[in-house]
Amino acid sequence: MWLPALFLIVGLALGLLTNITIPDIYTNYLSIAVLAALDTLFGGVRAQLESKFDQKVFISGFFFNVSLAAFLAFLGVQLGIDLYLAAIFAFGVRLFQNIAIIRRILLDRYSKKANK
Amino acid sequence: MMSKIVNNNKLMIGLVCFIIGLMVAILFNTNKSPSERDTRDTWEIRTALLQEQKDQQTLYEEIENEEQILLEYHNKTEHQQINALKESIDQLKMEAGLTNKEGKGVVLTLEPLFLDNNYQEYPQLNAELLQHFINELNAFGAEDIAIGEQRIIDTTPIRDVNEEVYVNHTSISDLPIEIHILTDEPSQLMNHIDVSEVNDYFALEDIRINIEEKQSITVPMYEGSINLNDLDVVEVEEGEQ
């Protein structure tokens, strides 16, 4: 449980300490990629809790979602349509759903434990 | 076997977390507005410091002056106080441009510049150019300016209305136009105008600036009333001295 958190902190620290920046025009892509990554992550956590976690699905989902989101944003810029909104909407809804399911599972477990 | 898979899974989630952390950090770095670097060298800083010190000195002098006046108010009898107040009012009126003012200065004439007599419209002044010019004059050290008969005060508007230039809500006449400028250093002002880019801007509009130095000119007073409806007095507590 602590390993992901540790990795998250290491990643944050590394990013902040190295002071990497990207050009302003690409921030859109990166922000949507972050959203996609978060979505995949919570999807993975949920699958883990439901004991149907599949590493291949997780890893492929992660990279596929991130690139698809970035591609959608790119396409949107080219066409003059705010397509990235579609990605934000989809990922946002799924994020909330996943977190809600995770919460329920955890609550269930907690109440079961308490009953015992 | 089972534990190894779980471990591996956690490692993968950890890896994804790591990537997310990295991306968030980069995004954070990028969105953070870069702090402006001070690229001035020692000399520039020194000059800036000197300027600030000068400003401070001037402010101190001003404070001293005001305190002197305050002291005078306090020390005088009622009659004298009224006199002192009247004096102050006159002084302020003069500063605000509500009195005629005389002194040495420069008379500028904006004249049409004819390059080709047959195929040229009569040149016209525009408010933007005039405004720019007034700003330049102020920067060059002009103290009081009058365009035609219109005295420029702090709140004077200069604008285009129906293709005519209005100063102080009054149309100024067509070219040529005389601009009276009071200044302590007429020759310096003239030199400034001579080399200023503003000549080129006027030339683009087919207008020429004619400069004449005068020992005594009079700028007329501002005739309207100064509207201070939108100004409020700020209550200031006695600050540190």
Side-chain angles (χ1 to χ4, degrees):
Chain A
M1 193 64 211
W2 290 109
L3 196 67
L6 185 73
F7 270 81
L8 187 68
I9 291 168
V10 170
L12 270 175
L14 201 68
L16 287 178
L17 289 178
T18 48
N19 231 349
I20 306 170
T21 55
I22 53 167
D24 252 355
I25 40 171
Y26 299 131
T27 49
N28 252 347
Y29 302 110
L30 191 62
S31 53
I32 206 163
V34 168
L35 197 62
L38 278 176
D39 170 59
T40 315
L41 179 70
F42 281 105
V45 172
R46 175 192 160 191
Q48 178 88 304
L49 290 173
E50 288 177 337
S51 320
K52 56 184 184 188
F53 184 84
D54 186 339
Q55 198 177 314
K56 277 182 210 145
V57 173
F58 181 67
I59 293 299
S60 65
F62 176 73
F63 288 108
F64 189 74
N65 277 351
V66 169
S67 18
L68 183 68
F71 176 70
L72 262 185
F74 169 74
L75 200 67
V77 170
Q78 300 303 315
L79 295 179
I81 312 166
D82 292 338
L83 265 185
Y84 69 94
L85 285 177
I88 286 184
F89 180 69
F91 289 131
V93 167
R94 269 199 9 201
L95 205 62
F96 274 108
Q97 250 169 11
N98 280 335
I99 291 175
I101 290 170
I102 290 170
R103 194 192 64 219
R104 277 172 204 202
I105 292 173
L106 289 180
L107 272 179
D108 264 3
R109 283 189 186 176
Y110 178 75
S111 54
K112 267 181 198 164
K113 236 183 213 172
N115 278 343
K116 272 177 192 173
Chain B
M1 181 72 192
M2 191 65 201
S3 77
K4 195 183 175 208
I5 289 175
V6 170
N7 249 343
N8 216 350
N9 287 347
K10 282 202 171 163
L11 200 67
M12 277 305 150
I13 292 184
L15 197 71
V16 168
C17 278
F18 173 75
I19 295 176
I20 290 176
L22 201 65
M23 287 200 291
V24 169
I26 292 174
L27 206 59
F28 181 74
N29 273 340
T30 309
N31 281 339
K32 201 172 46 179
S33 58
S35 54
E36 197 131 321
R37 281 184 60 219
D38 197 348
T39 53
R40 296 178 296 178
D41 61 15
T42 329
W43 181 253
E44 282 169 313
I45 291 174
R46 208 174 294 237
T47 338
L49 184 67
L50 205 68
Q51 183 59 42
E52 294 299 325
Q53 279 171 343
K54 247 187 219 164
D55 288 352
Q56 197 186 23
Q57 197 60 41
T58 335
L59 288 176
Y60 276 146
E61 272 165 26
E62 249 170 60
I63 290 174
E64 204 183 359
N65 242 335
E66 302 300 325
E67 272 175 357
Q68 193 71 38
I69 293 174
L70 195 66
L71 202 70
E72 275 172 29
Y73 284 157
H74 281 310
N75 290 344
K76 282 175 179 169
T77 62
E78 198 169 315
H79 183 70
Q80 279 173 316
Q81 271 181 13
I82 289 171
N83 270 348
L85 276 174
K86 274 183 182 161
E87 252 171 49
S88 293
I89 289 172
D90 284 344
Q91 171 72 21
L92 288 174
K93 265 188 178 169
M94 201 178 82
E95 277 173 23
L98 294 175
T99 56
N100 289 332
K101 212 168 165 186
E102 219 182 302
K104 59 179 174 177
V106 177
V107 176
L108 300 178
T109 320
L110 301 181
E111 296 171 330
L113 172 68
F114 287 109
L115 299 171
D116 186 340
N117 284 322
N118 296 325
Y119 303 104
Q120 198 182 332
E121 278 185 56
Y122 195 76
Q124 265 198 327
L125 198 59
N126 64 63
E128 242 178 15
L129 188 57
L130 194 59
Q131 218 164 29
H132 180 84
F133 187 47
I134 298 296
N135 286 342
E136 296 262 296
L137 288 178
N138 281 328
F140 295 158
E143 271 165 17
D144 295 276
I145 304 172
I147 300 176
E149 287 299 305
Q150 294 301 323
R151 173 76 167 268
I152 305 290
I153 60 166
D154 290 341
T155 54
T156 292
I158 300 176
R159 48 190 167 213
D160 281 318
V161 180
N162 291 339
E163 294 179 4
E164 281 182 53
V165 180
Y166 274 59
V167 177
N168 282 342
H169 309 295
T170 318
S171 167
I172 56 172
S173 55
D174 278 335
L175 298 174
I177 294 168
E178 279 196 348
I179 300 179
H180 296 257
I181 304 161
L182 283 188
T183 175
D184 288 337
E185 312 264 358
S187 49
Q188 216 172 31
L189 184 77
M190 282 168 74
N191 290 338
H192 271 305
I193 296 170
D194 264 338
V195 297
S196 167
E197 262 179 39
V198 89
N199 284 308
D200 300 339
Y201 300 147
F202 274 112
L204 278 176
E205 305 280 333
D206 298 320
I207 298 169
R208 189 176 51 172
I209 306 176
N210 208 348
I211 316 174
E212 217 180 319
E213 187 178 346
K214 292 250 172 103
Q215 275 311 311
S216 168
I217 58 171
T218 311
V219 288
M221 63 185 203
Y222 177 70
E223 274 159 3
S225 58
I226 298 177
N227 186 358
L228 297 176
N229 282 347
D230 297 328
L231 293 186
D232 287 320
V233 178
V234 179
E235 295 290 337
V236 185
E237 284 178 33
E238 198 81 2
E240 58 200 277
Q241 301 283 310

